[in-house]
Structures are given as C-alpha cells and as structure tokens.
C-alpha cells in the first residue's frame, strides 16, 4: 500500500518511522512519501499561497501548486483524499474500505484552505477525523495512515484485529496480565480457569456491558444474531457487572 502525502510540512511525517508503522515500512508492506508542495511553486520566493478573492481573512493555497504536485504522484489506481473538517467522519468501516486500496494520495490543507477549483478537479473523497478544527490536514493524514496500515496484510500479527474494539461493532472486553494480584485486586477468576467456553462467554458479556455503559450509541447499530439476543437476555446485560 502506497501513501503519497501532499503537504507543506513534510517533516511532520518523519515521526511515522516508529513502532508498528516503522516496521511495516522497513518490511516494504507500506510506503509513505511526503511530497512538499512548495517544491512545485514557480514563484522565486517559493510562495504557495495567496489572498482570497472577494476578501476575507487568511491565505489560500494556490491551485497550480497543488495540481502540479498531484501530477507528480498520480497513478491510474490512485484514490485522492482531502483531509478537511468538512469531510465525512472517519470510521472503522471506512478504514477497512480504504485498506483495500493500493495507492492513496492524501492532500493536506493548511492556513485557510485550498482553492476550490483544484479540489473539484482532483479529490475523490473528503475525510474528517472529528468535529473540531486543526491547524492543518497533517495530523489527520497521519491518523488515517496509521489506522489503515494496521489492516494491510502482514503489518500486525494474525488475529490481532479480530477481537479488538469496533471489530464486531462493540468495545473490546477488559484484559489482564501478570501479576495475578495487583494492589489487592485479583484477576477475574474465570480467566484463570482454563475453561474456554466460560471465558468466551464472560468476554462477550463484558463487551456488551462496556458498550452499553460507555457507548450505547454503538449498540443501536450492531446487528445481533439470535444467539446474541438470547445471550443478552440470559445475562441481563447492563445490570450485572461480572
Ligand atoms: N483539517 C483541519 N481539521 C481537520 C479535521 N478535523 N479533520 C480532517 N482534516 C482537518
């Protein structure tokens, strides 16, 4: 999977060399290129922005600079995403969809934004990472690269994404490691029992309970199997903790 990021701050992406993403790059599972749009400025001072026609505060990034940097990276299969608070909010569903792409071009605005004409010409999709305004699209682009890369084959060990939060529409159950007793708190007995069926049921119940408590809005969207419905009734979810 290749990510080409069109940005005025390419150094910000250096921090993606660490941890899981860094290893995925080393293994050539993903490629992250940050392209400095300033390199495409024809101005002798490398200026990339200008004032807004019709008046208004701030500066806009010029369309020719964005267009020329796009021409430099575009491929037949590339999907172009503009990171903007006006886009559709990024969800796990969208992350899984994007993980199927081969080449993503991520366009990061800064300052007041980008000339509309070039956006109309090249952008396939607008994505926001939440209803708040950041100073630019760089952090959102990093968020997107991080969560999409996790689903590229080989990036995580097998099974890692199967039971995690959101994978089945629910929050993940609580997990514990050594020591068995920490500050007087014991690990739930069932997890030490070695009884796989009981552990599975306990975890499912915890996942439902947590989702009910922390994110009841998610439960409304989950499609429950008949087995889950019976399970919910049996355990009176939301009333009992363990
Ligand atoms: N640019 C500025 N704020 C943003 C946000 N919330 N999501 C995506 N891009 C942005």
């Amino acid at each position: 999977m290749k990510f080409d990021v069109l940005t005025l701050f390419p150094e910000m992406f250096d921090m993606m060399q660490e941890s899981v993403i860094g290893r995925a790059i080393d293994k050539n599972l993903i490629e992250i290129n940050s392209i400095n749009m300033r390199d495409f400025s024809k101005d002798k001072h490398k200026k990339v922005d200008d004032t807004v026609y019709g008046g208004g505060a701030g500066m806009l990034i010029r369309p020719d600079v964005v267009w020329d940097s796009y021409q430099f990276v575009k491929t037949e299969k590339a999907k172009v995403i503009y990171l903007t608070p006006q886009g559709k909010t990024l969800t796990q569903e969208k992350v899984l969809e994007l993980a199927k792409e081969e080449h993503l071009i991520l366009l990061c605005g800064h300052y007041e934004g980008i000339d509309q004409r070039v956006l109309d010409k090249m952008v396939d999709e607008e994505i926001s990472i939440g209803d708040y305004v950041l100073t630019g699209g760089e952090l959102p682009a990093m968020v997107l690269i991080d969560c999409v890369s996790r689903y590229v084959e080989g990036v995580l060990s097998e099974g890692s994404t199967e039971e995690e939060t959101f994978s089945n529409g629910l929050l993940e159950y609580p997990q514990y490691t050594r020591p068995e007793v920490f500050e007087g708190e014991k690990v739930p007995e069932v997890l030490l029992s070695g009884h796989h069926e009981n552990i599975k049921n306990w975890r499912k119940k915890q996942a439902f309970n947590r989702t009910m408590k922390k994110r009841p809005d998610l439960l409304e969207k989950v499609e429950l199997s008949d087995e889950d419905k019976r399970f919910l009734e049996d355990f009176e979810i939301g009333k009992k903790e363990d």
Side-chain angles (χ1 to χ4, degrees):
M1 158 86 92
K2 182 173 171 182
F3 299 95
D4 282 322
V5 190
L6 308 181
T7 171
L8 292 174
F9 300 93
E11 296 81 18
M12 284 178 78
F13 292 84
D14 292 350
M15 70 182 254
M16 300 219 75
Q17 306 290 331
E18 301 292 326
S19 181
V20 174
I21 302 300
R23 283 196 293 277
I25 296 170
D26 292 343
K27 286 198 243 165
N28 291 323
L29 298 171
I30 60 166
E31 184 184 332
I32 307 173
N33 306 309
S34 41
I35 291 95
N36 192 347
M37 292 193 282
R38 198 172 294 281
D39 293 341
F40 295 85
S41 167
K42 296 180 191 87
D43 178 87
K44 65 171 188 268
H45 302 294
K46 293 280 163 206
K47 197 168 137 69
V48 290
D49 55 357
D50 219 317
T51 51
V52 185
Y53 278 119
M59 305 284 269
L60 280 190
I61 303 178
R62 290 170 55 109
D64 48 354
V65 170
V66 178
W67 184 247
D68 290 348
S69 43
Y70 168 57
Q71 297 305 314
F72 181 68
V73 295
K74 82 167 193 204
T75 57
E76 197 76 337
K77 289 190 175 149
K79 178 166 203 163
V80 181
I81 295 174
Y82 176 41
L83 286 311
T84 163
Q86 295 190 13
K88 280 225 185 80
T89 312
L90 187 62
T91 59
Q92 192 70 357
E93 207 181 338
K94 176 54 78 181
V95 167
L96 288 166
E97 193 188 307
L98 293 176
K100 295 189 192 120
E101 299 288 336
E102 277 176 34
H103 184 196
L104 294 179
I105 297 174
L106 306 179
L107 173 61
C108 305
H110 226 90
Y111 315 119
E112 290 305 305
I114 298 176
D115 183 286
Q116 188 60 43
R117 291 166 295 177
V118 73
L119 296 177
D120 292 344
K121 254 183 176 313
M122 62 180 266
V123 173
D124 295 309
E125 208 168 330
E126 295 188 340
I127 291 184
S128 161
I129 60 161
D131 287 342
Y132 41 81
V133 182
L134 296 154
T135 54
E138 284 75 13
L139 286 171
M142 284 188 237
V143 167
L144 189 149
I145 293 171
D146 189 291
C147 51
V148 169
S149 297
R150 297 175 74 246
Y151 288 93
V152 172
E153 207 176 315
V155 171
L156 295 183
S157 55
E158 224 169 288
S160 310
T161 57
E162 273 164 28
E163 293 209 359
E164 67 183 358
T165 291
F166 299 134
S167 62
N168 53 3
L170 299 174
L171 303 183
E172 196 180 19
Y173 47 78
Q175 299 187 90
Y176 304 87
T177 186
R178 291 190 179 80
E180 210 173 297
V181 181
F182 166 70
E183 298 282 311
E185 298 295 332
K186 211 169 171 296
V187 171
E189 207 61 52
V190 61
L191 300 177
L192 309 173
S193 68
H195 193 300
H196 297 301
E197 190 64 22
N198 287 354
I199 293 174
K200 197 172 140 226
N201 282 335
W202 181 87
R203 286 181 165 164
K204 198 167 175 182
K205 187 180 157 196
Q206 291 289 325
F208 274 116
N209 255 327
R210 277 197 155 179
T211 312
M212 189 82 116
K213 281 204 175 128
K214 298 191 196 188
R215 292 290 306 276
D217 56 305
L218 292 178
L219 269 182
E220 280 159 31
K221 289 182 226 147
V222 177
E223 281 201 24
L224 295 178
S225 65
D226 288 345
E227 190 197 334
D228 283 344
K229 281 182 197 151
R230 277 196 301 277
F231 183 89
L232 268 172
E233 283 160 17
D234 285 353
F235 283 102
E236 293 184 73
I237 298 303
K239 292 187 183 146
K240 274 192 284 183
E241 260 298 287
D242 46 60

